[in-house]
Structures are given as C-alpha cells and as structure tokens.
C-alpha cells in the first residue's frame, strides 16, 4: 500500500493537480486586483458607520433595474410601528404570499434594492410578495434583524394571511434570517 501511495504522490499528474490547487484561478486574480484597485483604495472613513454607508452605496441595484423588474406590478409601501416593507402585487395574484427577506451581509440591501429579484418572483409565479426591510448593522446589533423579520411574519398573520399560505424566502444573509425566523416561529 505504501508503494502505491508513493507512486501516486510522485506522479507528474499529481504534481500538476497539486500546483493547480495551490494557486488562485485567473478569475480570482482578476477580482482580487479589481477590489484592491477600486474598493480597498477608496476612502471608507474612520468609523464603521461610514464603511456601512459606502457598502450600501456600492452594492445597491440601479434605479432602472428596480423599475424594469416591477413592470406590471403594483407596489405598496408599508411603514408603521410594527413593520417596514413593501408589497409587490401582480394582477390576478394567487392566494399565497411569498415573504421575502433580502440579503446584503446584514449591513446593506433593502426591499427596494432587491426589487429586480422580488419582481421576477411576483411576475413569474403570480404571487403576492411581501419584502421586509429589517434594521441594518452596524447601527443595530444582533438580534434586531431577527426581531424585525419575526415581527413582519406576525404582522402578515394579523393581516389575515394564513400560515399555510406563506412561503418564506431570502438570499444570502436573508437566507440566514429565514432560518432564524423559522426557528423563532417554531419556538413561540
């Protein structure tokens, strides 16, 4: 067995494979250079709030993309003491609701920045979408985002939406909040 392992270890193919895994791909090299030049080189500010503001500006979706994704939908903004978010309603929507929690690393993103995605969900599935805005870090620490998403779920129930008619979805950090919200729903 040791002899076979030595043959594999010193074979030319194994050496090439090992060399390939130890160096980054050309794509990784390109993005590293891009981020070094354009992102890290920027003046981000001295406090963490300045960093958060810069990230929110860099990673939000363009207004044209927000509009394009919501053609044929009515948008209703909800902002009260319990919840902040927006409804995307297609014409002749089905009875079910998709409760969408946006991503953004807990410090960027909003219901508006994710409209191209939620608008596509609404148009393709013909579902009503409720996209929640949760309070962002670093201004608001854990567990405020979970508190906000759970409050939004309870608000949907208060609006008469039945629990079996709600699908919860999210991307990136929103996906983590989906799991946290579901655990909180099961706990309470």
């Amino acid at each position: 067995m040791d002899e076979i392992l030595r043959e594999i270890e010193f074979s030319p193919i194994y050496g090439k494979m090992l060399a390939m895994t130890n160096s980054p791909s050309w794509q990784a090299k390109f993005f590293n250079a891009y981020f070094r030049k354009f992102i890290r080189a920027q003046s981000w500010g001295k406090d963490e709030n300045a960093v958060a503001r810069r990230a929110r500006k860099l990673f939000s979706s363009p207004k044209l993309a927000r509009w394009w994704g919501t053609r044929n939908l009515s948008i209703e903004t909800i902002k009260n003491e319990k919840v902040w978010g927006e409804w995307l309603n297609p014409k002749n929507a089905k009875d079910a609701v998709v409760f969408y929690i946006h991503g953004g690393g807990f410090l960027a993103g909003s219901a508006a920045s994710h409209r191209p995605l939620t608008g596509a969900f609404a148009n393709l599935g013909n579902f009503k979408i409720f996209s929640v805005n949760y309070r962002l870090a670093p201004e608001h620490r854990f567990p405020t985002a979970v508190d906000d998403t759970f409050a939004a779920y309870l608000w949907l129930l208060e609006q008469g939406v039945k629990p079996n008619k709600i699908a919860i979805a999210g991307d990136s950090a929103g996906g983590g909040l989906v799991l946290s919200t579901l655990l909180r729903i099961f706990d309470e």
Side-chain angles (χ1 to χ4, degrees):
M1 184 69 166
D2 291 336
E3 191 175 309
I4 294 171
L5 289 175
R6 252 182 261 125
E7 282 182 36
I8 292 171
E9 191 172 312
F10 294 107
S11 72
I13 294 173
Y14 180 77
K16 285 181 183 178
M17 288 172 52
L18 191 61
M20 285 173 34
T21 58
N22 287 338
S23 66
S25 68
W26 69 267
Q27 295 97 333
K29 289 177 184 175
F30 171 78
F31 282 110
N32 281 338
Y34 174 82
F35 284 119
R36 233 180 274 116
K37 177 75 175 164
F38 296 106
I39 306 294
R40 288 188 189 158
Q42 298 292 325
S43 173
W44 286 79
K46 295 186 182 199
D47 66 340
E48 60 187 14
N49 292 336
V51 173
R53 283 190 301 275
R54 177 85 175 149
R56 289 174 191 149
K57 185 176 179 182
L58 277 172
F59 299 114
S60 68
S61 64
K63 289 182 181 178
L64 179 62
R66 290 184 216 164
W67 170 81
W68 187 262
T70 57
R71 295 178 337 268
N72 306 321
L73 299 174
S74 66
I75 301 170
E76 179 187 355
T77 302
I78 305 293
K79 190 169 185 177
N80 58 43
E81 66 280 348
K82 292 184 179 181
V83 70
W84 177 28
E86 63 184 26
W87 281 106
L88 291 129
N89 297 307
K91 295 175 185 162
N92 304 318
K94 295 176 184 171
D95 192 20
V97 171
V98 175
F99 173 36
Y100 187 80
I101 305 171
H102 68 80
F106 301 103
L107 65 93
S110 66
S113 71
H114 282 67
R115 268 190 214 146
L117 183 60
T118 54
F121 286 158
N123 281 320
L124 293 172
N126 204 28
F127 293 111
K128 287 191 242 177
I129 307 284
F130 182 73
S131 184
V132 67
N133 284 314
Y134 54 85
R135 291 173 285 174
L136 301 172
E139 296 90 353
H140 303 282
R141 303 286 183 187
F142 178 82
T144 55
V146 179
D147 294 341
D148 291 349
T149 56
F150 181 68
Y153 175 79
L154 294 177
W155 180 82
L156 284 172
L157 296 178
E158 289 173 9
Q159 301 308 302
V161 181
K162 293 182 173 50
N164 64 343
K165 295 290 186 179
I166 300 173
I168 306 179
D171 70 292
S172 191
L177 285 171
V178 166
L179 294 175
S180 300
T181 303
L182 288 172
L183 288 170
R184 184 123 174 233
I185 290 167
F186 290 128
D187 284 347
E188 295 192 18

